[in-house]
Amino acid sequence: MSAPDGKVSFPTMLDRFPDSPLWGLHFLVPPDIAAKFVSGKDRRVICSLNGKVVIHCALMPNKETWFVMLNKDVVKKLGCNVGDELAIVMEKDESEYGMPMPEELKEVLAMDAMADKYFHKLTPGKQRSLIYIISKVKNSDSRIRKSLAVADHLTANKGEIDYKLLSEALKEYNKMQ
């Protein structure tokens, strides 16, 4: 059911792909609904799940249908199990990065022109990965330290990301108080 604000509501259920080491918890999106949000490679959407949790995500193709992956933290917040019904409200994600940019990262990039240049040369997926690494932390001081570590890593590696080295740098910066 479409609303004038571009949002679409539909029921679905929490499911799990059987025998898949890569894909796990997800919900299906009917093809007619997915078609309203897919434009070329742009498949970013914002989903409200049961009115409890809002996620920025991508519609993923699967044979004749589409799906949205859910991580264990989201499922835990929902308090539901495989087979439980989900009430979805979906809208197009028009944000610049496909998810909210943490203020701390925005400020660090504003103060470091080279890191900003390298960050904005990354693919949108890599940008989202770095944003996610920083935004999943609840404490602002920790987000600042992670933002500084990411900026320094990008500058030191001329815009390339070595996730192993980045992980080590994040641990080092996290020790700083």
Side-chain angles (χ1 to χ4, degrees), residues 54-155:
V54 175
I55 60 171
H56 291 252
C57 53
L59 291 167
M60 306 294 290
N62 184 31
K63 299 178 184 164
E64 286 99 40
T65 191
W66 294 82
F67 66 95
V68 170
M69 294 295 300
L70 299 176
N71 65 32
K72 289 178 185 176
D73 289 340
V74 168
V75 174
K76 184 177 179 182
K77 287 177 189 172
L78 288 170
C80 61
N81 298 301
V82 171
D84 288 351
E85 188 168 294
L86 299 174
I88 307 297
V89 177
M90 184 178 287
E91 64 185 292
K92 186 75 182 150
D93 187 340
E94 302 290 352
S95 66
E96 183 176 359
Y97 301 104
M99 62 190 319
M101 166 71 91
E103 284 299 318
E104 297 83 356
L105 178 58
K106 188 184 293 186
E107 288 300 317
V108 167
L109 293 177
M111 294 186 302
D112 186 336
M114 286 305 293
D116 184 66
K117 175 184 157 195
Y118 289 134
F119 178 83
H120 286 96
K121 283 188 173 186
L122 295 171
T123 63
K126 287 182 180 177
Q127 289 174 348
R128 281 191 298 276
S129 291
L130 295 177
I131 290 169
Y132 177 75
I133 287 169
I134 294 163
S135 64
K136 69 180 182 176
V137 179
K138 296 194 186 333
N139 179 299
S140 180
D141 289 340
S142 294
R143 285 193 303 270
I144 291 169
R145 287 192 296 275
K146 285 186 182 291
S147 297
L148 290 168
V150 164
D152 287 350
H153 180 82
L154 288 173
T155 303

Side-chain angles (χ1 to χ4, degrees), residues 164-176:
K164 184 176 180 184
L165 289 177
L166 178 58
S167 178
E168 292 171 15
L170 291 167
K171 288 176 188 172
E172 287 303 312
Y173 273 79
N174 209 32
K175 292 177 186 175
M176 297 177 189

